Amino acid sequence: IISMKKVLLIYSTNSGSTFVAGEIIKEILAKDFDVKMQNVVESKPGDIKNYSTVILGSPSWLSRGSEGMPTEEMLKLLDAWKKENFSDKNFSIYGCGDDGFIHFCGAVGYMEDFVKSVGGKFTQPSLRLNSFWFELDKNVALTKKWATELRKKLTV
């Protein structure tokens, strides 16, 4: 049974920024929802089945020979889901990057394209965080604002 009150947040992290952003998102959503947050390395493809809303977070990285990609661990999970139909799922995406690179938060765009390819619905525009640790206060505020908007949209 898919519960509308259950949210699965799957993150991948390198420097810890997507983990910290995920913790902020979880804290805000947990006021109204049962939020399970897990590292992508602990995720199995079947984990998604009991959730109506899935949040994916990844830094942009050099993966599979291309810059601006999700981490290899996130790519493996997305690959496992490629033949699925997720038209019954709401997705939200966030990512961390550095605008000094050509493909700023390219992982976000990659995950958005993936969600479209499996029929998922977007709850709101994705969150792209720039230079997370160097502009921490600004990025924490942006994450809180985004998560609060998401919470409102999911409670409607």
Side-chain angles (χ1 to χ4, degrees):
I1 294 173
I2 296 176
S3 167
M4 297 307 279
K5 286 289 191 180
K6 288 177 71 174
V7 176
L8 178 61
L9 189 157
I10 299 174
Y11 71 93
S12 180
T13 196
N14 178 53
S15 67
S17 56
T18 50
F19 168 76
V20 170
E23 286 282 321
I24 294 166
I25 295 164
K26 178 184 176 184
E27 182 182 321
I28 288 171
L29 293 180
K31 294 171 185 170
D32 294 306
F33 300 93
D34 174 14
V35 183
K36 179 173 183 179
M37 181 172 162
Q38 64 186 30
N39 191 313
V40 70
V41 297
E42 300 161 356
S43 300
K44 294 173 188 59
D47 291 349
I48 195 173
K49 69 179 179 287
N50 298 321
Y51 295 88
S52 60
T53 300
V54 178
I55 302 169
L56 299 173
S58 178
S60 294
W61 208 242
L62 175 64
S63 301
R64 300 184 182 173
S66 295
E67 261 191 42
M69 296 285 282
T71 62
E72 185 58 39
E73 295 82 14
M74 183 64 77
L75 287 170
K76 285 178 186 170
L77 184 63
L78 299 180
D79 286 348
W81 285 341
K82 280 208 276 213
K83 292 186 170 57
E84 301 288 333
N85 178 334
F86 290 133
S87 57
D88 63 334
K89 307 269 181 232
N90 294 312
F91 284 86
S92 292
I93 296 171
Y94 73 98
C96 298
D98 183 322
D99 65 8
F101 288 92
I102 295 169
H103 303 288
F104 169 65
C105 283
V108 171
Y110 184 95
M111 292 186 293
E112 288 172 340
D113 289 344
F114 168 79
V115 168
K116 289 175 197 162
S117 76
V118 294
K121 297 183 284 287
F122 291 101
T123 46
Q124 69 186 34
S126 300
L127 175 63
R128 290 169 171 83
L129 298 166
N130 185 32
S131 302
F132 191 85
W133 297 116
F134 297 102
E135 299 179 36
L136 189 59
D137 292 346
K138 175 184 165 193
N139 284 308
V140 166
L142 286 170
T143 304
K144 286 180 177 178
K145 180 177 186 274
W146 184 85
T148 301
E149 288 168 6
L150 177 59
R151 185 174 150 226
K152 286 179 194 159
K153 288 182 178 167
L154 293 177
T155 48
V156 171

